[in-house]
Amino acid sequence: MTDDHSWVGPTAEVPRRWHRWVIPSVAALAVLALGGGAVAYWQLADRGDEDPGVTACRSAGFVVRAGEGEVAPDDEVQRVGELFQRSAHEDMRSAGVFAVGMVQRVQRAQDPRDAPEAVKLRQGNLAAAVPRLIAACAQHQVTVKG
């Protein structure tokens, strides 16, 4: 028996070439995945004890859009309104409850029997509520994205 591997030919080099780029690539992807997972975990873990008002501010973009005439889903309005009501921050609670309440009133004011003056008054109140909400959220380092 001999150690002559001439019968194998050039295919014997393929595994070495394969190892040269596959193993480092897999290792790099694993490091990226673990790093990304750790960052995502820390971001979510930090929000676990977050004030409900801050959580509501992150979801309050529909208030800005409603001020521009877009209709917000009722379940989203209800959910965010409840979060604002549970906030420990008085300024955020007050501004958020008022703004969400105005969104509800404006959206319910689609009744053609309403006087045009009443509809304009509600829309004006919503227009005033939006900057107040944005300012209250900004005091707690949250940007309301419309």
Side-chain angles (χ1 to χ4, degrees), residues 13-76:
E13 292 296 316
V14 173
R16 283 191 208 146
R17 279 188 239 143
W18 184 74
H19 287 291
R20 283 186 194 150
W21 65 273
V22 171
I23 291 175
S25 298
V26 169
L29 287 174
V31 168
L32 286 174
L34 289 174
V39 169
Y41 172 77
W42 284 316
Q43 286 290 327
L44 295 174
D46 287 345
R47 293 185 182 168
D49 59 349
E50 182 175 78
D51 182 76
V54 172
T55 304
C57 281
R58 294 186 199 288
S59 302
F62 72 87
V63 175
V64 176
R65 293 188 300 274
E68 298 168 350
E70 186 177 311
V71 176
D74 289 334
D75 58 334
E76 180 73 1

Side-chain angles (χ1 to χ4, degrees), residues 59 62 65-66 70-82 100-110:
S59 302
F62 72 87
R65 293 188 300 274
E70 186 177 311
V71 176
D74 289 334
D75 58 334
E76 180 73 1
V77 174
Q78 180 73 24
R79 183 184 72 80
V80 172
E82 290 171 359
V100 170
M102 289 313 306
V103 169
Q104 290 173 327
R105 289 183 196 98
V106 166
Q107 289 187 171
R108 289 185 188 140
Q110 305 301 329

Side-chain angles (χ1 to χ4, degrees), residues 2 5 14 18 32 38 47 53 65 84 110 125 131-132 140 144-145:
T2 64
H5 298 287
V14 173
W18 184 74
L32 286 174
R47 293 185 182 168
R65 293 188 300 274
F84 276 125
Q110 305 301 329
N125 285 342
R132 182 175 163 217
H140 298 277
V144 178
K145 298 177 182 172

